[in-house]
Amino acid sequence: MSVTLDGDKPVSVPSHVRKFVRGPRPESVPTLVGTACTAVGLIDVAAGVFPRFRHSRMHTLAEVLPGALGPFAAALSLSAGVLLLLLAHGLKRRKRRAWRAAVVLLPAGALAQFTYRHSVIGTLVSLALCLLLVRHRGEFAALPDPRSRWRALANFVLLGAGSLALGLVIVNAHPGRVLGSPSIADRLQHVLYGMLGFEGPVEYVGDTSWTVGYSLGALGLLTAVTTIYFAFRPEHPAARLTEDDEARLRALLAKHGGRDSLGHFALRRDKGVVFSPSGKAAVCYRVVSGVMLASGDPIGDVEAWPGAIERFMDEARAHSWTPAVMGCSETGGEVWTRETGLDALELGDEAVVDVADFSLAGRAMRNVRQMVKRIERLGYETRVRRVSDIGEAELARIRHAADDWRGTDNERGFSMALGRIGDPADGDCVIATAHKADEHTADSPYGDLKAVLHFVPWGHDGMSLDLMRRDRSADPGMNELLIVAALQDSPRLEVRRVSLNFAMFRSALARGEKLGAGPVLRTWRGLLIFLSRWFQIESLYKFNAKFRPRWEPRFVVYRAARDLPRISLAAMQAEGFVNLALPRPFARRFPARRPRPCAHTPAPGQEQHARAA
């Protein structure tokens, strides 16, 4: 099969993703199988744990599902149930590895049904579900997600904790057969010993001790086997921007970079990239928790955007990732929705200041003008320069200060943050600094440096704000001072437009405070103000509004409304507001391809405004 994109010659498509290019396919089979695995898993676990379950009204249903009577059968039922629960999500996402595991597990379960329970119906049910999987094997072609061997440690911790909790349930599920009154510590010790294959301090009447022992041993073995599997399977690292990818993107930005103010942020080196068949357009992305996040508009020629978008969607379908776009422009949103059938939702507005129209004169700029004059009278001076015009020693000092003034352990920013300062390849970036000599200057590792603003190029005549950092001991107003200095020096740098911060839900905040706003709008505005205690929503809007910008709407593009919570969580993870990674001592550190100094956007609520907030 071949497809034609960008008006170029047909492009061959691999067979395992061939069906995805034809468009969305019905999701009934993967969803049905995944849901069935979840239900069967839960019933199996219940059948293995609770003795009364096998003699309840659900006995008839349990008879045709994997599980059995007796110690070994209880352990087998428990193991099968846990494994099916682990596989259910992967089957719903069409994962090939989950399909292979289920195809191996179901015949083994059918054999156990016939050998230990002599249940013909249960055997036929297992084989029928296996045949259904084989019949629709083409539906399960999704490739693996990015992963590393640190997944084994996460599996050991999470599955071990779950097995420990389930083990406590098993130990306490036979109250009438327990000898004596063992304490909670004894029961916990019995669980730990049982998972390791040893007999614990809790004693039972009859064969119950064998049932509990087999079940606990099965949980321990399951934890060990899955951890070993994750530890020794091949790694599948996340996509990274290679030197060749970066060179191609810079060439596209040199021709078409003036179209989108977020274009230069595509050069973050922790992103992957897909190019159109002609190479005239590209979409940069990162995969977070199964969500394939693109940011801003595609890079390059607008006529080639559909080809890059199609490649992006092919990649998402091939891995069964949820596609999403954060912060695209109105034009970008129209192209995305037209080419993919996705939906768009207004996310907020970007503040853009036209340099020719900016002035401190007038009543509207009175507060900014007074603040800037006050700061200047205190002895602060500003410098606005290209990175290429700053010496390496001073750049190192600026990087050090920006890192120390970050105010949070986690790096913040993804869609509107470059993630580095002073890289030799970013010589066109602009750094605005504030300086003041005082009694601490001689002892400070930053010298007289008090605040830093970093801008990235926006085409040949614009720049976009990347980050804002200041010394916490500096006087208030550093951000306003440096923004004004950058705007006033823009003509010297041949800059005609400056993109400032992104204000989420700005229109709701603006309309909600006006006379005549309805109760729904006022309630929504009140909720946004409440959330502003933790996220810079209202503060960024008011800060941007000081400079009288024009507002450019930005959108999030998504597949379905049910995906929005998942996309929101993935976006907050990518931006650094939510951290679900392992603690620092266990966090994986990828070796850098070459030394790359890194800067970070500030944490919310610390009076440090940045685009990524």
Side-chain angles (χ1 to χ4, degrees):
M1 177 186 174
S2 63
V3 294
T4 302
L5 304 173
D6 268 6
D8 292 336
K9 60 183 180 180
V11 179
S12 177
V13 179
S15 59
H16 69 277
V17 297
R18 191 171 293 165
K19 72 183 191 67
F20 294 116
V21 180
R22 303 188 192 115
R25 292 288 299 266
E27 299 183 1
S28 57
V29 173
T31 303
L32 175 63
V33 171
T35 303
C37 283
T38 302
V40 170
L42 291 174
I43 294 176
D44 276 358
V45 170
V49 173
F50 303 105
R52 295 181 181 179
F53 175 82
R54 293 189 292 271
H55 304 286
S56 66
R57 295 179 180 179
M58 296 190 68
H59 175 71
T60 303
L61 178 60
E63 277 293 315
V64 301
L65 297 173
L69 305 175
F72 183 83
L76 184 62
S77 175
L78 192 63
S79 300
V82 174
L83 286 173
L84 288 174
L85 289 174
L86 293 175
L87 292 174
H89 181 64
L91 290 172
K92 287 183 179 181
R93 294 185 60 202
R94 306 170 181 266
K95 290 298 183 180
R96 190 68 176 179
R97 289 182 180 271
W99 177 86
R100 291 172 179 170
V103 168
V104 172
L105 177 65
L106 288 171
L111 179 63
Q113 291 268 1
F114 185 77
T115 302
Y116 295 103
R117 293 187 59 209
H118 310 291
S119 173
V120 177
I121 296 178
T123 301
L124 292 178
V125 169
S126 297
L127 291 178
L129 186 56
C130 182
L131 290 176
L132 180 65
L133 285 172
V134 174
R135 171 65 179 81
H136 296 278
R137 59 186 177 275
E139 297 286 340
F140 302 89
L143 301 176
D145 291 342
R147 61 174 183 261
S148 72
R149 290 190 176 93
W150 286 101
R151 175 80 179 273
L153 179 60
N155 176 83
F156 177 77
V157 172
L158 297 178
L159 187 56
S163 297
L164 185 63
L166 188 57
L168 285 173
V169 175
I170 294 172
V171 170
N172 291 285
H174 309 271
R177 293 181 173 268
V178 178
L179 295 176
S181 300
S183 64
I184 296 296
D186 291 335
R187 296 172 189 267
L188 181 60
Q189 184 179 358
H190 191 85
V191 173
L192 293 174
Y193 280 16
M195 291 177 64
L196 295 175
F198 301 103
E199 186 176 351
V202 181
E203 297 182 358
Y204 298 89
V205 176
D207 294 336
T208 304
S209 60
W210 288 95
T211 302
V212 173
Y214 270 98
S215 299
L216 295 178
L219 289 176
L221 182 63
L222 192 63
T223 302
V225 169
T226 54
T227 300
I228 292 173
Y229 166 73
F230 285 127
F232 287 97
R233 69 174 178 170
E235 294 192 32
H236 188 73
R240 298 276 169 162
L241 204 64
T242 65
E243 292 183 0
D244 179 64
D245 293 337
E246 185 174 333
R248 294 177 66 184
L249 286 174
R250 288 186 183 276
L252 293 178
L253 288 171
K255 295 180 180 179
H256 308 283
R259 187 176 300 278
D260 185 15
S261 64
L262 308 186
H264 198 85
F265 298 121
L267 298 177
R268 282 183 66 104
R269 288 160 182 158
D270 56 359
K271 290 184 178 181
V273 60
V274 290
F275 289 90
S276 66
S278 64
K280 296 179 181 178
V283 176
C284 294
Y285 67 92
R286 183 195 291 175
V287 179
V288 182
S289 298
V291 177
M292 192 176 183
L293 281 175
S295 57
D297 294 342
I299 307 300
D301 189 352
V302 175
E303 294 183 359
W305 283 8
I309 291 174
E310 185 69 22
R311 285 283 178 87
F312 175 87
M313 296 300 294
D314 287 347
E315 190 78 5
R317 295 187 186 105
H319 292 266
S320 192
W321 291 330
T322 300
V325 185
M326 300 297 298
C328 66
S329 68
E330 187 170 1
T331 301
E334 290 175 354
V335 176
W336 274 100
T337 54
R338 184 183 69 240
E339 296 296 327
T340 63
L342 301 178
D343 292 325
L345 179 68
E346 186 173 339
L347 187 62
D349 295 271
E350 176 188 13
V352 179
V353 177
D354 294 313
V355 174
D357 298 333
F358 178 76
S359 173
L360 287 177
R363 184 175 182 84
M365 299 297 295
R366 178 182 178 183
N367 291 337
V368 176
R369 182 172 64 250
Q370 291 179 344
M371 179 171 291
V372 170
K373 295 297 183 182
R374 181 181 62 83
I375 295 296
E376 289 177 344
R377 286 195 298 268
L378 292 176
Y380 288 89
E381 64 175 24
T382 59
R383 302 170 191 170
V384 181
R385 296 160 290 174
R386 299 277 185 187
V387 168
S388 57
D389 298 329
I390 304 176
E392 182 57 37
E394 186 176 0
L395 275 177
R397 187 163 60 251
I398 291 173
R399 285 194 293 262
H400 186 198
D403 187 67
D404 287 349
W405 296 341
R406 184 171 66 248
T408 177
D409 290 335
N410 301 325
E411 179 181 357
R412 306 232 172 186
F414 163 67
S415 57
M416 301 176 185
L418 185 60
R420 60 182 183 266
I421 291 181
D423 191 284
D426 299 321
D428 289 340
C429 291
V430 175
I431 294 181
T433 54
H435 304 263
K436 180 184 178 182
D438 53 29
E439 64 275 11
H440 304 295
T441 299
D443 300 328
S444 174
Y446 324 122
D448 62 352
L449 183 64
K450 298 299 180 183
V452 177
L453 263 63
H454 186 252
F455 297 85
V456 301
W458 175 11
H460 300 291
D461 62 350
M463 60 185 185
S464 297
L465 180 60
D466 176 21
L467 60 81
M468 310 173 84
R469 301 284 164 78
R470 69 179 180 88
D471 188 343
R472 305 305 297 170
S473 64
D475 293 282
M478 292 291 101
N479 295 331
E480 289 85 346
L481 173 69
L482 287 180
I483 286 181
V484 170
L487 290 171
Q488 291 177 340
D489 272 13
S490 290
R492 176 178 60 83
L493 300 172
E494 298 183 352
V495 171
R496 296 181 176 83
R497 51 186 178 168
V498 177
S499 172
L500 299 179
N501 300 301
F502 172 75
M504 291 185 63
F505 308 115
R506 182 208 63 88
S507 58
L509 290 171
R511 292 196 301 266
E513 64 184 358
K514 290 184 178 179
L515 183 66
V520 175
L521 189 57
R522 288 182 178 178
T523 302
W524 175 228
R525 179 177 179 272
L527 177 60
L528 293 176
I529 293 176
F530 174 75
L531 294 175
S532 295
R533 298 180 181 181
W534 298 277
F535 302 98
Q536 290 178 306
I537 299 177
E538 185 185 25
S539 60
L540 273 177
Y541 161 56
K542 291 185 175 181
F543 179 83
N544 293 332
K546 293 179 181 179
F547 304 96
R548 317 299 295 175
R550 55 183 171 87
W551 299 100
E552 298 289 343
R554 290 281 174 173
F555 300 84
V556 55
V557 178
Y558 60 97
R559 184 172 55 189
R562 66 176 180 272
D563 294 330
L564 285 175
R566 186 179 181 187
I567 293 171
S568 299
L569 178 60
M572 287 191 291
Q573 286 180 255
E575 298 288 353
F577 292 109
V578 175
N579 183 20
L580 301 181
L582 293 172
R584 277 196 168 189
F586 305 101
R588 180 171 179 81
R589 284 166 171 78
F590 294 93
R593 178 162 47 89
R594 60 176 181 263
R596 292 172 180 172
C598 184
H600 309 276
T601 51
Q606 295 185 337
E607 301 177 359
Q608 297 183 19
H609 305 273
R611 296 179 62 86

